[in-house]
Amino acid sequence: MADEKEIIPVKIHQHGDYELAIYWADGHESVYPCDYLRKACRCANCVDEWSGTPRVNPAAIPENIQPVQIESVGRYGIKIDWDDGHNTGIYGFEYLRKICPCQECRDGG
Amino acid sequence: MNVTEELILRTLSTVKDPDLHRDIVSLGFIQNIKIQNSSVSLDLVLTTPACPVRDQMKQECETKLRNLPGVSKVEINMKAEVRGRPGLNQASVLPGVRNTIAVASGKGGVGKSTVAANLALALAKTGAKVGLLDCDVYGPSIPLMFGLTGQKPDVTEDQKILPIPAHGIVVMSIGFLTDDNAPVIWRGPMVHQIIQQFLTRVAWGELDYLILDLPPGTGDTQLTLTQSASLSGAVIVTTPQEVSLIDARKGLQMFQKVNVPVLGIIENMSYFCCPGCGKVAEIFRRGGAKKVSEAFNVPMLGEIPIDPAVVETGDQGVPIVAAKPDSLIARVYQAIAGALAAQVSIANMSGSEKAAAAGPVHIQWQTKKK
């Protein structure tokens, strides 16, 4: 597993109208566009449980999609209720850190 | 030299809590210092009444204070305030429960419910307020072990279920809500719902520790609990042989995956001590749990011997810690309860230091679409 601090969120908050921001314990900040997060949903409705193939057409997800509310899941992640009615996705902190969209993370892999 | 509060605090700041590795003054353990001429009295407030090193710490404080010039009499009152899991003050689930401890195993039949029941009683005997939740929906055994078969819980005016008191703790089980002999035949979603109800609709009141007796494996119940209740940690019960250890490792990894601290491993049915000749037989080979604890770097909490009295007392509705508190096995349980309580304090301390950070998240998205 990655360094523990990389996957401990210190603060999770709304960032403008269409972004969610997470400050991590190692000092990094991730800012996720909402539609990017919605498309990254790994729940069984969005990704086939057995084959891993996507079951949702990313183009069908509205660009202006927003969360209605966000809640903790145990000690390891968050659950997002989207305004398109989708609410079955759990975003683990380890996964969220892995998909951080900032340039540094995408370059560093 | 005048005895001052500052001098006392400075002296006691050389005493360390051996589990938390910090001095007892900065931990906030020393309270209510009173100085009258040459006699000193104070409260030593530990993080758990089950602290295994409480006498040792008390003694060290007494000795150090007595050696101060100008002090002739020292009175230390031992107290305990169990601290809660990180994020407790914002918790919406089980808000009065300071710590929730899951007792789990990978494999069935390792004596998980027996261990959970006796650990709960052993914690309560130290003065802690303890609850026990039987999460085994398909095979609840807690009602029988506590002599509560056939009992039905009362319901409060605001429609909360009252757990049933027994042997100094409070107990809740699916067995109180269904027919005694009828099997529960449910799919996963029903299990999810009943566990949710246990967490939200049972009037647990104020508890220091809620012990959750889990069914074996890594299924629906485990998932619901790790998602809905912010667990303080989990204890893995195993028997010594490899076929049990394989599954113990899986259980352990499941908790690590969902970020629930593994507080330790308990080896049950570790050995048998012949009551006639005193010879020890290691029936299932002893020491397997220790190897797992070393491989995964989690604490080894103890080895519980096989004793026919455990089955006898359990079947009669009085777990051995309550039935024979002076027996060897009850003392083993008491020691394990102390080690467990210490691990809970350690996990809470490191959890709040790491600032397990954001705590429970509730974000209501604030904007209207343009």
Side-chain angles (χ1 to χ4, degrees):
Chain A
M1 200 190 280
D3 176 17
E4 225 181 9
K5 285 188 171 164
E6 284 183 7
I7 53 166
I8 297 175
V10 180
K11 192 173 177 217
I12 302 178
H13 66 108
Q14 183 180 343
H15 187 264
D17 284 354
Y18 295 102
E19 283 173 330
L20 179 74
I22 302 180
Y23 286 105
W24 301 97
D26 67 344
H28 193 75
E29 186 186 11
S30 303
V31 180
Y32 305 90
C34 290
D35 65 321
Y36 171 77
L37 273 186
R38 173 66 187 84
K39 286 169 195 164
C41 181
R42 293 196 298 179
C43 83
N45 277 317
C46 296
V47 179
D48 188 277
E49 276 178 279
W50 297 105
S51 66
T53 50
R55 300 185 47 194
V56 173
N57 177 5
I61 290 168
E63 246 172 67
N64 65 347
I65 193 163
Q66 284 180 324
V68 179
Q69 62 168 15
I70 301 175
E71 301 245 347
S72 294
V73 176
R75 297 172 68 137
Y76 68 96
I78 53 173
K79 173 174 168 291
I80 305 178
D81 281 12
W82 297 100
D83 63 1
D84 65 352
H86 187 66
N87 65 2
T88 47
I90 292 171
Y91 296 80
F93 295 131
E94 200 171 345
Y95 178 61
L96 282 168
R97 183 60 193 253
K98 207 166 81 187
I99 62 167
C100 173
C102 81
Q103 200 60 46
E104 190 191 332
C105 289
R106 278 193 295 181
D107 290 349
Chain B
M1 193 166 72
N2 256 349
V3 181
T4 62
E5 195 166 317
E6 198 218 325
L7 175 70
I8 289 168
L9 286 175
R10 201 160 8 107
T11 308
L12 292 180
S13 69
T14 61
V15 180
K16 269 194 173 178
D17 182 308
D19 291 320
L20 301 174
H21 303 291
R22 267 176 53 188
D23 77 85
I24 59 173
V25 173
S26 72
L27 283 166
F29 286 5
I30 306 300
Q31 294 175 16
N32 201 15
I33 300 176
K34 288 193 186 114
I35 305 161
Q36 220 164 25
N37 302 321
S38 66
S39 62
V40 175
S41 82
L42 56 83
D43 294 347
L44 180 51
V45 187
L46 303 177
T47 53
T48 171
C51 178
V53 286
R54 50 180 287 153
D55 295 336
Q56 179 193 327
M57 272 198 282
K58 181 182 183 193
Q59 183 113 54
E60 189 178 348
C61 291
E62 259 171 6
T63 312
K64 283 194 165 149
L65 289 179
R66 235 185 231 120
N67 285 342
L68 287 175
V71 174
S72 64
K73 192 166 164 251
V74 178
E75 191 188 322
I76 295 178
N77 308 305
M78 299 302 285
K79 295 189 174 171
E81 253 165 44
V82 176
R83 299 181 188 188
R85 59 193 196 267
L88 175 64
N89 48 6
Q90 306 149 35
S92 54
V93 174
L94 299 171
V97 178
R98 296 194 182 87
N99 291 290
T100 48
I101 304 165
V103 176
S105 77
K107 189 178 168 296
V110 299
K112 199 169 13 8
S113 296
T114 303
V115 171
N118 282 297
L119 270 185
L121 292 177
L123 282 169
K125 274 187 74 182
T126 66
K129 279 179 258 168
V130 182
L132 175 61
L133 173 56
D134 184 357
C135 297
D136 196 339
V137 171
Y138 297 113
S141 33
I142 296 297
L144 175 79
M145 281 180 195
F146 280 80
L148 299 171
T149 310
Q151 295 227 26
K152 300 282 175 242
D154 289 328
V155 177
T156 65
E157 274 174 24
D158 56 344
Q159 295 299 306
K160 295 239 175 184
I161 306 166
L162 283 168
I164 299 179
H167 308 306
I169 66 171
V170 288
V171 181
M172 187 63 216
S173 167
I174 183 76
F176 300 148
L177 307 175
T178 54
D179 263 344
D180 291 344
N181 298 315
V184 172
I185 309 170
W186 286 352
R187 290 192 194 277
M190 285 290 284
V191 175
H192 175 77
Q193 278 192 19
I194 194 75
I195 298 293
Q196 289 266 349
Q197 303 249 324
F198 281 157
L199 298 178
T200 55
R201 297 262 320 269
V202 175
W204 289 105
E206 296 279 319
L207 292 181
D208 293 322
Y209 303 101
L210 177 63
I211 305 293
L212 307 165
D213 177 20
L214 264 52
T218 52
D220 288 295
T221 304
Q222 285 79 1
L223 258 178
T224 300
L225 279 172
T226 53
Q227 292 181 347
S228 308
S230 182
L231 295 174
S232 304
V235 174
I236 309 285
V237 181
T238 183
T239 47
Q241 70 274 45
E242 186 55 33
V243 68
S244 172
L245 296 171
I246 297 173
D247 295 346
R249 288 187 198 98
K250 287 182 192 157
L252 206 149
Q253 282 167 312
M254 173 193 72
F255 285 112
Q256 288 182 336
K257 203 159 178 156
V258 292
N259 206 15
V260 171
V262 176
L263 301 167
I265 300 184
I266 296 171
E267 183 168 288
N268 195 24
M269 309 186 204
S270 201
Y271 56 93
F272 175 73
C273 183
C274 173
C277 67
K279 204 174 160 194
V280 169
E282 296 172 354
I283 293 174
F284 299 115
R285 291 209 307 225
R286 188 174 175 174
K290 190 155 177 282
K291 276 186 227 143
V292 176
S293 89
E294 281 160 6
F296 285 87
N297 197 22
V298 295
M300 180 70 202
L301 295 177
E303 296 176 334
I304 302 169
I306 296 173
D307 185 337
V310 171
V311 180
E312 205 176 294
T313 55
D315 283 357
Q316 285 168 1
V318 188
I320 188 121
V321 166
K324 299 186 175 181
D326 297 324
S327 60
L328 166 76
I329 193 157
R331 290 203 304 273
V332 170
Y333 271 113
Q334 216 61 53
I336 293 176
L340 173 60
Q343 288 304 323
V344 172
S345 298
I346 293 168
N348 286 345
M349 188 70 68
S350 79
S352 55
E353 260 164 23
K354 269 190 260 162
V361 181
H362 300 283
I363 300 173
Q364 208 70 42
W365 206 259
Q366 287 304 343
T367 52
K368 290 274 167 278
K369 275 192 178 163
K370 285 166 200 149

